[in-house]
Amino acid sequence: MRNRIASMAAIALSLGLGSSAGAETVKVGVIATLSGGYARWGEQFKQAIAVYQKHHGDAVNGNKIEIIYRDDEGPKPARSKQLVEDLIQQDKVQFIARFPWSPNATGVAQTVTDAKMPTILFNAAASVITRQSPYFVRVSFTLPQLAVPVGAWAAKSGIKTAMTAVADFPAGIDAEVYFAKAFKAGGGEILGGMRTPLAMTDFKAAFEAVLQKKPDALFISAPTGPGSIGMVKAWAEALKPAGIKLLATNEITELYLPDYGPAAVGIVSAAHYTENNESDLNKKMRADLTAMFGAGAIPDIATVATYDGMHVIYQVVAKLGPRFNPDEAIKLIAGMTFDSPRGGSITIDAKERDIVQDIDIRRVEERAGKPVNVAFDKVRMVKDFWKDDNPAK
């Protein structure tokens, strides 16, 4: 009888039914780029988590939420895999979060599947990723979600010809394919394209090919940071004077507009978050970010995804307790809808565990002497187009 009672207690504990016995600590392993050229991403993740915890506290129903940071050092899948293994085996985390880079997320898919580890993707924008593990949930975006709206807009707006320049990794290739698909469906013609190394920052020579063909527009896709800055500057110096327009996605963020300079005026981009939107939640997040970290702390896609990702984690602990069953956690998250600083509600698709959200079409304009993104159109509740083209078996 004692053995049977002990066995039943263990089962109840594993399902989270014993969570009311006392406050516990829920550990969240956040894998971010904290060093190198993209270290700004890691800084943004930390700031967003601090703001979220200012709004909601650092505990849920008395259970402490402990954040453990690890540096992936950039797109290094093998390192990310080792970090995940250490977080699971040594630190005993109950969630893994972040993954700025799609290759890193892909590299840990089997590890988190084997461990049944709920893993919240705060970036990692390649479409296929959520299919690689049933424990992946994405709260950021996919490149097709952005590339299709801007491609369709370009075709409707009198742009007849275009070329593409994308970073050569899964998310960049997704952007290239789906921009071209939408642009051609609207009657546009793709004159050519290039895939550039992920670490590339100087595009002057590469863009000579664009100048020679002189399309109406160039569409770019690169990780926000040194790569995107290099692309925009090369366009501004060589292509903009020739009348070639620039089309983009999340590269054109308020945080990096000072790096792009006045030449950025006129760029059209599609994004799931326009930083100056007037929603109450966005105003609150932005005000506290500035108050806590200074005027240079400007929210962007990394900030909003981290803020929303923390909301998902807090909801799991609030409803299932600190000792939750991982499968029950994923079941709870799938289909979840909630308000976001993006300016409206977002939904986690119940089947795909991927985000469904509004997409803004924006143009960089000069306001009060500085360039800002101004949204002028919106596409409502956009799903990932790649998944529509590749139904799950």
Side-chain angles (χ1 to χ4, degrees):
M1 176 63 72
R2 287 182 179 179
N3 288 340
R4 183 182 177 190
I5 292 173
S7 177
M8 291 174 65
I11 292 171
L13 196 60
S14 72
L15 292 174
L17 302 179
S19 60
S20 62
E24 300 187 28
T25 296
V26 176
K27 295 182 179 182
V28 181
V30 176
I31 297 178
T33 302
L34 302 170
S35 59
Y38 289 92
R40 201 169 193 176
W41 282 80
E43 181 183 18
Q44 289 175 283
F45 306 153
K46 286 185 173 183
Q47 290 174 351
I49 290 171
V51 171
Y52 186 87
Q53 292 194 320
K54 179 181 180 181
H55 293 173
H56 300 278
D58 63 357
V60 178
N61 295 335
N63 300 293
K64 175 80 171 178
I65 308 298
E66 179 183 347
I67 311 298
I68 301 173
Y69 291 99
R70 294 291 183 266
D71 183 8
D72 63 13
E73 300 178 355
K76 297 182 178 181
R79 176 172 174 78
S80 289
K81 184 174 184 293
Q82 184 61 58
L83 293 174
V84 166
E85 290 173 351
D86 290 347
L87 285 166
I88 293 171
Q89 296 169 10
Q90 299 176 17
D91 296 291
K92 309 298 183 184
V93 299
Q94 287 121 299
F95 292 95
I96 297 288
R98 193 49 196 124
F99 292 109
W101 305 96
S102 294
N104 292 2
T106 295
V108 307
Q110 191 59 54
T111 302
V112 301
T113 300
D114 291 343
K116 294 189 173 184
M117 177 61 58
T119 300
I120 315 300
L121 304 175
F122 293 173
N123 197 59
S127 290
V128 72
I129 289 174
T130 52
R131 294 266 181 88
Q132 294 174 336
S133 171
Y135 296 94
F136 277 159
V137 175
R138 180 157 39 207
V139 294
S140 53
F141 64 102
T142 73
L143 261 302
Q145 277 184 316
L146 311 182
V148 167
V150 75
W153 174 86
K156 290 188 297 185
S157 301
I159 295 174
K160 302 297 184 183
T161 60
M163 292 183 66
T164 61
V166 304
D168 190 8
F169 77 128
I173 294 170
D174 279 351
E176 173 196 74
V177 169
Y178 278 87
F179 171 83
K181 182 177 180 179
F183 185 60
K184 289 190 288 187
E189 179 184 0
I190 300 293
L191 301 183
M194 64 186 75
R195 296 177 181 178
T196 61
L198 193 57
M200 188 170 175
T201 58
D202 185 351
F203 296 88
K204 292 179 182 178
F207 282 9
E208 281 297 320
V210 180
L211 189 59
Q212 290 172 12
K213 292 191 176 182
K214 201 173 181 182
D216 294 333
L218 172 68
F219 170 75
I220 64 168
S221 180
T224 307
S228 65
I229 292 170
M231 280 189 174
V232 173
K233 287 189 172 182
W235 164 79
E237 291 175 12
L239 306 183
K240 187 177 184 180
I244 299 171
K245 298 177 174 67
L246 188 65
L247 307 172
T249 60
N250 282 327
E251 297 83 8
I252 313 303
T253 68
E254 182 180 338
L255 183 65
Y256 287 94
L257 282 175
D259 295 299
Y260 300 148
V265 171
I267 297 174
V268 173
S269 62
H272 58 285
Y273 175 56
T274 298
E275 307 88 343
N276 51 24
N277 80 70
E278 292 294 315
S279 74
D280 290 341
L281 185 53
N282 187 55
K283 288 179 179 178
K284 181 181 180 183
M285 182 186 74
R286 182 161 189 151
D288 285 330
L289 187 70
T290 301
M292 295 168 68
F293 299 104
I298 298 170
D300 77 347
I301 60 173
T303 313
V304 74
T306 305
Y307 191 95
D308 289 338
M310 290 300 295
H311 181 77
V312 168
I313 290 168
Y314 272 50
Q315 287 296 298
V316 170
V317 179
K319 295 182 179 181
L320 299 182
R323 298 195 185 188
F324 54 84
N325 178 293
D327 294 307
E328 289 297 314
I330 295 298
K331 184 178 179 180
L332 173 65
I333 297 168
M336 189 179 286
T337 296
F338 55 92
D339 288 338
S340 166
R342 298 164 213 232
S345 65
I346 60 175
T347 295
I348 306 301
D349 183 84
K351 182 178 179 181
E352 298 284 3
R353 292 161 284 102
D354 215 340
I355 192 162
V356 182
Q357 60 191 331
D358 294 346
I359 303 298
D360 288 337
I361 308 294
R362 316 95 61 85
R363 182 181 289 107
V364 179
E365 299 181 5
E366 186 174 329
R367 299 283 178 90
K370 64 178 184 179
V372 297
N373 283 311
V374 178
F376 61 86
D377 199 2
K378 188 182 293 288
V379 185
R380 297 287 183 181
M381 298 307 284
V382 179
K383 292 186 175 183
D384 177 37
F385 293 96
W386 180 89
K387 292 185 178 65
D388 286 343
D389 290 344
N390 298 273
K393 297 179 181 179

